[in-house]
Amino acid sequence: MDRGPASPQVLRLVMSMVRDGSALCVPGNHDIKLLRHLNGKNVTVNHGLAETLAQLEPEPEAFKSEVRRFLDGLVSHYVLDGGKLVVAHAGLTEEMQGRGSGAVRAFALFGESTGEIDEFGLPVRYEWAREYRGRAMVAFGHTPVPEAEWLNNTIDLDTGCVFGGRLTALRYPERELVAVPAAQVYCEPARPLNYRSRSTTSSADSVVRDPEQSPDSRNTESALQSAQHEQDDLLDIRDVTGKQFIETRLMRGVTIREDNAVAALEVMSSFALHPKWLLYLPPTMSPTETSALPDLLEHPAEAFDYYKRLGVERVVCEEKHMGSRVVVVLGRNEAAIQRRLGLVGEGIGKVYTRTGRNFFTDAALETAFLARLRDALSTAGFWEKFYTDWVCLDAELLPWSAKAQELVKTQYAAVAAAALAALPQVEAALTEAAARQLDGAEALLARTTARHQAAAHYADAYRRYCWPVHSLDDLKLAPFHLLATEGKTYFDRDHAWHMETLRTLALADPSLLRATPYRVVPLTNPAEVEAAIQWWTDLTAAGGEGMVVKPYDFIPQGKGGLLQPALKCRGREYLRIIYGPDYLLPGHLDRLRQRNVKAKRNLALREFALGVEGLERFVAGQPLCRVHQCVFGVLALESEAVDPRL
């Protein structure tokens, strides 16, 4: 309304669309001012109202009455799509959404001002969107801006068409923007359209421009993130402290206890990467239930029985690599990272651990690794195939010793060295004692010999997963989940799809990338189940860690809700690293069979739900505080008192 050359025609168009059910309409402050005039109230005739009244003058009274009834019947705002979208002329805070009062209507029409007047004689608007934490997306206007920008899941669509700017529409739920330029300047603004330029330099102000237009440069929503990136530079500690209740798509809600949040805050503030890198933290994984077979703590039969009992028809068995679990966030170039993550001068990517810490301590090695991985994706045509310029991968980085070198030296190697140095001497002494037929010497010698052999097996077990890393050629990356690219997550794809997609990628650089061996097992076919068990037996007998059994669907649902996303089944010798050299000796295995996996499985489900939720929020363009809430939640849950050996 107002300032345009054909307000009556606009009114006719809008009223007919609303009447036909093809549109909804919320009032603006200009509309309500016109309504007050039509109702005989005294109003100040300014800001284009004079032109509108002049255009309405020759219209029949019936039309004016229809306009009056139409405007009078408009509600202050709409809450749509089950509360996911709110539309109001000047926006609306979360606590006002869905409510009706004079205060709500006033905010929806005029927003909130600071009480100050700027140098142009206009009210200074309070930027409520900077503090918005609501779950609903809010589309609004009222205050003209040079370009529509997302900020905390809100967007101002008033791009000043009347002032010669553009007419902008939001396509929902795609979050795409469509804009057409104004045909002319219909009215000179009292305040320049670009007046709200920020005084500080944002990420977008200093981006590195890619000379070749990437596919995603056509994505208007993603290209307009500078205001959000600037806002995300400072997180609010109140969002992650105290008791938290995080709603997720997969579970009704996940509770984070206050003491766990404190522990996570220490890790995040002291050791983790910049939060903008942390799109996702992978969940912990439960082992199978305890096997009753002799000399075995874990066996695939328990995993197969668990899923079959809960109605899963097919599973995917993947070789378990003994490396470090990592998440890789990689851009096609630095401009992609700046555009999507708002990070300037931090390179093309990061590789980080399950606790959000940078995997690499050698900056040169990190740069070379990321560049080579980027080149492999380019060679494979990945960027074009997935129409993206960034990717998030879940993977294992080998060797284990590349990250755990100090742990190997101080814990595993130290135990093996002490045992292999001391036990032979004990054996020698006990041999002499047994020769002298001292009471109990024979039994003690047998036990010591068994412990000596167990220590040797223990040393062999951890050494299989250690090799020196002198250069990039000594590293191997085994990706097993393609988590996300621009505008999409891949939780809807089955695990076989992930395996095949990443196997194709590995062919682009076999020296760096390792395809994960896997097999699909129909649980209703006894022969296939037995073949999978034999595969695990052969794999672990040859020194392999074991395998991971996953439902065929990435997000498995049963009658009771979410199922375990994966179960690990580790080999007999590998478990020496976890439970110690002597775990198979008489007495020890019986005690370990009493372990309870219930708490571990509950933890795995909650972390899985949070991981999926956080990454989906990021891909949907939600603000960092909403993404970080889930990432932080996973980290907090890691401090729960659950046996770390499970």
Side-chain angles (χ1 to χ4, degrees), residues 27 32 222 238 439 516 542 554 581:
I32 298 306
S222 296
R238 292 172 295 182
D439 288 345
T516 299
F554 200 109

Short mmCIF file of all heavy atoms in Angstrom, two decimals, residues 27 32 222 238 439 516 542 554 581:
data_model
loop_
_atom_site.label_atom_id
_atom_site.label_comp_id
_atom_site.label_asym_id
_atom_site.label_seq_id
_atom_site.Cartn_x
_atom_site.Cartn_y
_atom_site.Cartn_z
N PRO A 27 -1.77 -7.67 7.63
CA PRO A 27 -1.78 -6.22 7.43
C PRO A 27 -0.43 -5.59 7.78
O PRO A 27 0.32 -6.10 8.62
CB PRO A 27 -2.85 -5.75 8.42
CG PRO A 27 -2.76 -6.74 9.54
CD PRO A 27 -2.43 -8.06 8.90
N ILE A 32 -3.34 -0.45 7.99
CA ILE A 32 -4.15 -0.10 9.17
C ILE A 32 -4.41 1.40 9.21
O ILE A 32 -5.49 1.85 9.63
CB ILE A 32 -3.44 -0.58 10.44
CG1 ILE A 32 -3.32 -2.10 10.42
CG2 ILE A 32 -4.18 -0.13 11.68
CD1 ILE A 32 -4.63 -2.84 10.21
N SER A 222 22.06 -19.29 0.10
CA SER A 222 23.38 -19.52 0.65
C SER A 222 24.30 -18.33 0.43
O SER A 222 25.24 -18.12 1.18
CB SER A 222 24.00 -20.78 0.01
OG SER A 222 23.24 -21.91 0.36
N ARG A 238 24.62 -18.76 27.61
CA ARG A 238 23.34 -19.18 28.18
C ARG A 238 22.66 -20.25 27.33
O ARG A 238 21.78 -20.97 27.83
CB ARG A 238 22.42 -17.97 28.32
CG ARG A 238 22.87 -16.96 29.37
CD ARG A 238 22.04 -15.71 29.34
NE ARG A 238 22.20 -14.98 28.07
CZ ARG A 238 21.61 -13.83 27.80
NH1 ARG A 238 20.81 -13.27 28.70
NH2 ARG A 238 21.81 -13.23 26.64
N ASP A 439 55.47 -76.34 47.06
CA ASP A 439 54.01 -76.37 46.99
C ASP A 439 53.46 -75.19 46.18
O ASP A 439 53.85 -74.03 46.41
CB ASP A 439 53.41 -76.31 48.41
CG ASP A 439 53.61 -77.61 49.17
OD1 ASP A 439 53.93 -78.60 48.50
OD2 ASP A 439 53.44 -77.59 50.40
N THR A 516 35.99 -49.24 2.17
CA THR A 516 35.67 -50.15 3.28
C THR A 516 34.99 -51.40 2.75
O THR A 516 33.92 -51.31 2.15
CB THR A 516 34.75 -49.44 4.29
OG1 THR A 516 35.42 -48.30 4.83
CG2 THR A 516 34.37 -50.38 5.42
N ALA A 542 42.94 -62.94 11.02
CA ALA A 542 44.06 -62.34 10.29
C ALA A 542 44.55 -61.05 10.94
O ALA A 542 45.44 -60.39 10.39
CB ALA A 542 43.63 -62.06 8.86
N PHE A 554 19.69 -46.16 7.08
CA PHE A 554 20.56 -45.34 7.92
C PHE A 554 19.88 -45.02 9.24
O PHE A 554 20.50 -45.08 10.31
CB PHE A 554 20.92 -44.04 7.18
CG PHE A 554 22.14 -43.36 7.71
CD1 PHE A 554 23.32 -43.34 6.98
CD2 PHE A 554 22.13 -42.72 8.94
CE1 PHE A 554 24.46 -42.72 7.46
CE2 PHE A 554 23.26 -42.09 9.44
CZ PHE A 554 24.43 -42.09 8.69
N PRO A 581 45.85 -57.53 28.74
CA PRO A 581 46.42 -58.79 28.24
C PRO A 581 45.77 -60.04 28.82
O PRO A 581 45.67 -61.06 28.13
CB PRO A 581 47.89 -58.69 28.67
CG PRO A 581 48.14 -57.24 28.93
CD PRO A 581 46.85 -56.67 29.38
#
